[in-house]
Structure formats: structure tokens, C-alpha cells
Amino acid sequence: MFALENTEVTKAIERARQMHPRVSVIRFGVYTVTASHGRHIVRCYRDERGQKIVDCDCQTRDGIACRCGVAGIPLHTYLATTPLATSH
């Protein structure tokens, strides 16, 4: 799990670009990220303090931005700005 304000996000974005992931929607806020290193479930949400959180089931330590977690952010952001996606 990591916050989007984390400084490690920039490094993770570069690693995510290199892996060319496929991101699929399970439901709003929950995504499957598939790449050569495997398949992971990514959750995007706001915690009780309103901080934006990305949680991935990969082996990355809490607080460190992972490439699979970062790969799910663009789809989540798009869906969050699309009224029909969040109304169901």
C-alpha cells in the first residue's frame, strides 16, 4: 500500500512503462494488472483521512510504490472522472 504523494511514485511509473501492463476493471476502484511478472489485484481508494491510497497484492513493502499499483492509476483516474463509471 502506498499514498500517491509518495516520492517513489516517479520511479514506479518508469518501471510500469517498461513492463507494458494490461489493466482490466473488476469494479470501480479494483483492477487487475497483468504483465510479464504476473497478475496482481490493485485497489485505489481514499482512506479515512481522505488520502489517496493504492493497494496492491504484490510483494512490495508497504509505503513503496510498486509498478503494478502505479499501472492501475490511469484507468482509475479516467473512471473517476466519468460520471457513468462511478454511478453503478
Side-chain angles (χ1 to χ4, degrees), residues 42-56:
V42 174
R43 291 174 176 78
C44 300
Y45 60 93
R46 288 185 185 264
D47 68 9
E48 62 280 348
R49 296 174 290 160
Q51 188 173 21
K52 296 174 185 173
I53 301 296
V54 177
D55 192 9
C56 180

Side-chain angles (χ1 to χ4, degrees), residues 1-3 6-13 15 60-70:
M1 174 174 36
F2 62 93
N6 190 310
T7 57
E8 294 292 317
V9 171
T10 303
K11 292 178 188 175
I13 289 169
R15 291 190 307 267
T60 303
R61 298 182 316 267
D62 279 349
I64 304 296
C66 63
R67 59 188 176 180
C68 33
V70 168

